[in-house]
């Protein structure tokens, strides 16, 4: 579903702006991450870390001022959560999502 949403603007021949490209990249990569996690749950932390980096970089590089800062913050929060999950410093109720 996310892959379809990501490529839908291209299929509808909408003009390719930075907003469309950033949204498409993020949607497609999150969909791929969900597929990886579904078939190999032990990769959850690594995929979560990678997604945080992608969200931060796409937001910073492709979007305009107020939105790029918001996505950089969200991406950094995701990266910090992934690092804390690697170090097992999160509460047990959250860690259960990373260690199955």
């Amino acid at each position: 579903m996310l892959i379809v949403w990501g490529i839908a603007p291209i299929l509808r021949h909408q003009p390719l702006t930075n907003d469309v490209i950033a949204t498409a990249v993020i949607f497609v990569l999150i969909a791929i991450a969900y597929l990886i996690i579904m078939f190999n749950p032990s990769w959850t932390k690594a995929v979560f870390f990678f997604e945080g980096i992608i969200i931060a970089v796409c937001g910073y590089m492709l979007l305009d001022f107020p939105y790029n800062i918001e996505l950089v913050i969200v991406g950094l929060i995701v990266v910090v959560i992934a690092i804390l999950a690697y170090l097992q410093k999160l509460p047990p109720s959250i860690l259960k999502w990373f260690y199955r």
Side-chain angles (χ1 to χ4, degrees):
M1 183 77 140
L2 288 172
I3 292 174
V4 172
W5 281 347
I7 63 172
I10 297 167
L11 297 176
R12 286 186 275 155
H13 302 291
Q14 288 182 343
L16 290 179
T17 62
N18 285 344
D19 295 341
V20 171
I21 294 171
T23 303
V25 168
I26 291 171
F27 276 169
V28 169
L29 288 177
I30 288 175
I32 292 170
Y34 284 146
L35 290 174
I36 291 171
I37 291 170
M38 199 169 25
F39 290 111
N40 195 350
S42 64
W43 286 15
T44 303
K45 297 174 296 299
V47 171
F48 204 63
F49 181 78
F50 176 72
E51 286 297 321
I53 292 172
I54 293 298
I55 289 170
V57 169
C58 281
Y60 182 73
M61 299 292 290
L62 297 173
L63 298 178
D64 291 331
F65 171 62
Y67 305 109
N68 67 351
I69 300 299
E70 292 172 6
L71 275 183
V72 166
I73 291 170
V74 168
L76 290 177
I77 289 171
V78 170
V79 168
V80 167
I81 290 172
I83 291 171
L84 290 174
Y86 268 119
L87 298 174
Q88 296 184 357
K89 299 292 183 182
L90 293 172
S93 61
I94 297 174
L95 274 177
K96 70 179 178 184
W97 296 103
F98 292 100
Y99 294 95
R100 295 181 196 179

